[in-house]
Amino acid sequence: MSHTLQFSVPLFLVYLALTGNVEPANLVVGALVAVGISLLRPKMDLPLIHWRRLPQFLWAGIRYLFIVAGDVIRGGLSTARIVLDPNLPINPGIIAIPSGTQSELGTALSAHSISLSPGEMVVAIDDEGVMYTHCLNVDDSERMVADAQNLRKSLLSRMFE
Amino acid sequence: METVLQLLAFLLLVLGTLFSLIGVIGFIRLPDVYTRLHATGKVSVFGLVFLLLAADILTPLATWKALLLIFFVLAASPAVAHAISSSAYRTGVPLVGKRDDLKGKLEVGQEKD
């Protein structure tokens, strides 16, 4: 039941944002749609979030969003600079980055944020959670990845433990 | 206030178009599938975010709609880039560059599972 709740509340908020209308009738329809969809969803192995940990979860989530937003901006600018440079200064290749977590959700989220950060893109993930990442510039990425990975890991573990 | 918002929207439109253009230039200049995905998956998405922000200001959309769209675009684009690069690697599309830690780890040339 609380899995259903955890799934349907965000869905309800998305519905409200998309319809942009808070009349009672619309609220009821939104609630019905949200609960209906979360009852239909396939069985997933998602961690439950305790009520007491909810503020902490939201705070870590918001900080994570800001980090991701910063990564997107830097990623867009640095890739644009590389593309416009007449010499095309790239040294592409695939490097292995351990995600440091066994959980599927944690690995998926790390892979997601790595793909958003400048010059990196996850090509494959193996069973041990090692992410094979394609980089525009292998040497730069190898230096940066360690720090960024530690920060993300601490935030993600605060969200899901 | 109205004029300031309009000016901001036009600035965002110009920036968004510029970054979309740079994405296309990158798509033409870069050497292989994987590097090209960096151009389309990052620079073009960056441009798209600016265009959506401009649309948010210029049109009477429900304000949250454009912000939600930005969130969805940012959530989906890495997954798209990953899906394309992963299937390219699995079907054996050659890679430009010396280093390849993934070499021999995947069965290349056939679908896995």
Side-chain angles (χ1 to χ4, degrees):
Chain A
M1 182 57 208
S2 45
H3 261 119
T4 309
L5 197 67
Q6 192 179 312
F7 205 79
S8 52
V9 170
L11 276 181
F12 180 60
L13 292 179
V14 167
Y15 181 88
L16 284 190
L18 280 177
T19 52
N21 150 359
V22 285
E23 285 162 32
N26 195 45
L27 291 182
V28 172
V29 174
L32 286 178
V33 169
V35 173
I37 290 178
S38 40
L39 287 176
L40 283 177
R41 81 192 196 284
K43 265 254 166 286
M44 281 187 283
D45 188 23
L46 289 181
L48 259 184
I49 298 151
H50 256 280
W51 289 115
R52 253 181 259 124
R53 299 179 52 91
L54 194 64
Q56 204 184 351
F57 173 82
L58 288 178
W59 175 234
I62 289 168
R63 277 187 61 195
Y64 183 71
L65 272 187
F66 273 99
I67 291 173
V68 166
D71 278 352
V72 170
I73 293 172
R74 282 187 298 125
L77 290 179
S78 71
T79 315
R81 214 194 41 204
I82 289 173
V83 162
L84 291 181
D85 194 305
N87 299 325
L88 211 61
I90 56 170
N91 175 18
I94 293 182
I95 62 174
I97 302 171
S99 75
T101 162
Q102 292 283 328
S103 91
E104 277 181 22
L105 187 64
T107 313
L109 280 173
S110 307
H112 184 265
S113 60
I114 281 187
S115 293
L116 275 174
S117 60
E120 287 142 31
M121 178 180 71
V122 174
V123 176
I125 303 174
D126 71 8
D127 296 333
E128 281 93 53
V130 179
M131 301 176 288
Y132 296 95
T133 308
H134 183 272
C135 309
L136 274 185
N137 201 323
V138 174
D139 305 319
D140 284 1
S141 297
E142 224 167 7
R143 253 186 290 118
M144 282 180 351
V145 146
D147 303 343
Q149 188 64 13
N150 282 337
L151 181 60
R152 276 193 291 259
K153 226 171 12 190
S154 76
L155 278 179
L156 286 175
S157 67
R158 228 174 295 171
M159 282 165 78
F160 294 106
E161 251 156 45
Chain B
M1 194 59 205
E2 195 74 353
T3 338
V4 175
L5 275 182
Q6 294 270 320
L7 274 177
L8 183 66
F10 282 124
L11 187 68
L12 287 171
L13 273 181
V14 170
L15 274 177
T17 318
L18 189 70
F19 274 102
S20 303
L21 182 69
I22 293 174
V24 175
I25 294 174
F27 188 76
I28 296 170
R29 289 195 69 197
L30 289 169
D32 68 349
V33 179
Y34 310 97
T35 46
R36 281 176 169 167
L37 277 172
H38 283 283
T40 50
K42 296 233 171 64
V43 188
S44 300
V45 165
F46 198 46
L48 187 56
V49 169
F50 280 128
L51 291 178
L52 279 173
L53 282 176
D56 201 4
I57 297 172
L58 280 180
T59 60
L61 276 170
T63 316
W64 290 99
K65 217 179 267 185
L67 295 181
L68 208 60
L69 275 176
I70 291 174
F71 175 77
F72 284 141
V73 165
L74 288 184
S77 76
V80 172
H82 164 73
I84 297 176
S85 61
S86 170
S87 53
Y89 198 95
R90 280 177 186 166
T91 44
V93 177
L95 174 79
V96 173
K98 288 176 221 97
R99 182 151 173 201
D100 185 358
D101 286 357
L102 186 55
K103 199 167 212 157
K105 297 264 167 66
L106 280 181
E107 296 147 60
V108 173
Q110 62 191 55
E111 287 267 276
K112 207 188 167 201
D113 302 328

